[in-house]
Amino acid sequence: KFFNAFEFISSMSSGFDLSSLFESK
Amino acid sequence: MGCFLSKRPKHTAGYEDPTLLAAETPFNVSEVEALYELFKKLSSSIVDDGRIHKEEFQLALFRNKNKRNLFADRVFDTFDVKRNGVIEFGEFIRALGIFHPNAPVESKIEFAFRLYDLRQTGFIEREELKEMVLALLHESDLVLLEDVVETIVDKTFSDADTKGDGKIDVEEWKEFVSRNPSLIKNMTLPYLKDITLAFPSFVVTSEVDDS
C-alpha cells in the first residue's frame, strides 16, 4: 500500500493532539 | 448622581464578547463561556496575563513547558493569527472552532494546509515535507534510512503535486485530501461537540459568579 507521508505525520504527531488541552483541566 | 460600581466580571485585555465569537464559530454562547474557563487556566499556568504563551501551550500538551515539538509549534503559530507570539482568547476560540465536528470541512483542509506550509509561502514544498517526516521520526525515536525517507517523500509528493511544479498549492492539497480524507481526521476534536456535557467542570461561571 502507498505510504503517505502526510498520513504518517498527521496520525502520529503528539503535537497535533489537542485533546491534551482539555485533559489538563 | 452617585457613583456607579459595576459588577461586571474582570476580563483580560484580549477578551472578546462571547456572543460575537459564538456567531462566528460553531460554539454557542455558553460553550464559549465554558471555553473561557479553560482559556483562563491555560493562560495563567506560567504567566498570568490572559494570553497563552508558547511555554504554557507546551505545558498543557506535554506536561512539560520546555518540550519543543515542530508540530506543536506549528499549531501554536497557526492559532496565533496576529503573530505576536501569544494566543489571545478570540484566536483560541476561532481556531478551536475549526476543530469542531460541525465546522466546515473546507476550513479544516485549509487549516491543515497552513500547518504544513512551514515557511508560510503559500505552498507545501518538498523540503518542508521531508523536514516534517524527519521531525516526526525524531519525535517517535524511529530511525529510517535516508533513502527510505526520500522515497516516501517523493512518492507522496508525486501523488499530491499534480501540476508537477515541485510544490503543493492549496488547490492540489484540497484535491489530495479529497482522495485521502483521513488526512484531516486530527482536525476534528469530538470533545467539542458538546463541551458542557463532556467537561461539566468548565461550566461553573456566569456573569455573577465571575464578578
Side-chain angles (χ1 to χ4, degrees):
Chain A
K1 176 173 178 335
F2 168 53
F3 193 93
N4 185 324
F6 286 111
E7 191 143 359
F8 177 57
I9 294 164
S10 66
S11 63
M12 285 191 62
S13 178
S14 59
F16 285 149
D17 185 12
L18 295 186
S19 58
S20 307
L21 297 180
F22 299 92
E23 287 154 12
S24 71
K25 187 68 186 177
Chain B
M1 299 289 286
C3 81
F4 174 73
L5 288 176
S6 170
K7 294 290 276 181
R8 290 179 63 182
K10 294 183 198 117
H11 292 303
T12 53
Y15 185 77
E16 290 187 46
D17 183 348
T19 311
L20 298 178
L21 289 172
E24 284 183 41
T25 65
F27 302 117
N28 62 36
V29 174
S30 63
E31 288 172 330
V32 174
E33 288 174 343
L35 286 169
Y36 184 58
E37 294 303 307
L38 173 65
F39 179 83
K40 277 197 298 189
K41 181 183 165 67
L42 298 176
S43 64
S44 62
S45 64
I46 297 174
V47 183
D48 191 4
D49 63 353
R51 305 174 309 168
I52 300 174
H53 293 251
K54 190 167 279 185
E55 291 78 10
E56 291 172 325
F57 194 69
Q58 289 164 183
L59 182 63
L61 284 184
F62 306 124
R63 310 286 184 271
N64 180 345
K65 68 175 182 176
N66 296 316
K67 180 169 175 178
R68 297 301 301 269
N69 176 291
L70 173 68
F71 302 102
D73 273 2
R74 288 304 303 137
V75 172
F76 183 93
D77 292 345
T78 311
F79 272 55
D80 175 19
V81 174
K82 289 184 187 169
R83 300 201 186 162
N84 57 355
V86 291
I87 300 171
E88 297 177 0
F89 179 53
E91 292 173 327
F92 183 69
I93 296 299
R94 290 185 185 91
L96 271 188
I98 292 166
F99 288 79
H100 192 286
N102 295 346
V105 171
E106 181 94 347
S107 61
K108 294 176 188 286
I109 294 173
E110 287 173 359
F111 192 92
F113 183 84
R114 291 202 297 277
L115 283 177
Y116 294 139
D117 177 11
L118 299 185
R119 289 179 255 290
Q120 292 142 61
T121 56
F123 302 96
I124 302 171
E125 293 169 40
R126 191 187 177 288
E127 279 310 302
E128 291 174 325
L129 182 56
K130 184 178 174 185
E131 187 178 334
M132 291 186 279
V133 170
L134 291 174
L136 182 55
L137 290 171
H138 180 71
E139 176 190 325
S140 311
D141 288 326
L142 293 171
V143 177
L144 277 184
L145 290 173
E146 178 84 14
D147 283 358
V148 177
V149 173
E150 291 283 348
T151 303
I152 291 168
V153 170
D154 282 346
K155 189 99 176 67
T156 304
F157 222 81
S158 65
D159 199 32
D161 176 24
T162 50
K163 294 173 188 163
D165 59 358
K167 53 195 182 183
I168 299 167
D169 64 27
V170 72
E171 291 310 314
E172 289 169 323
W173 174 249
K174 287 176 185 173
E175 199 271 327
F176 189 60
V177 174
S178 73
R179 285 187 278 128
N180 301 277
S182 62
L183 290 187
I184 56 161
K185 205 164 56 180
N186 63 348
M187 292 302 307
T188 295
L189 282 172
Y191 295 152
L192 296 176
K193 181 80 176 175
D194 195 336
I195 296 158
T196 52
L197 279 183
F199 303 101
S201 58
F202 291 170
V203 192
V204 295
T205 187
S206 74
E207 293 290 272
V208 175
D209 291 336
D210 205 24
S211 61

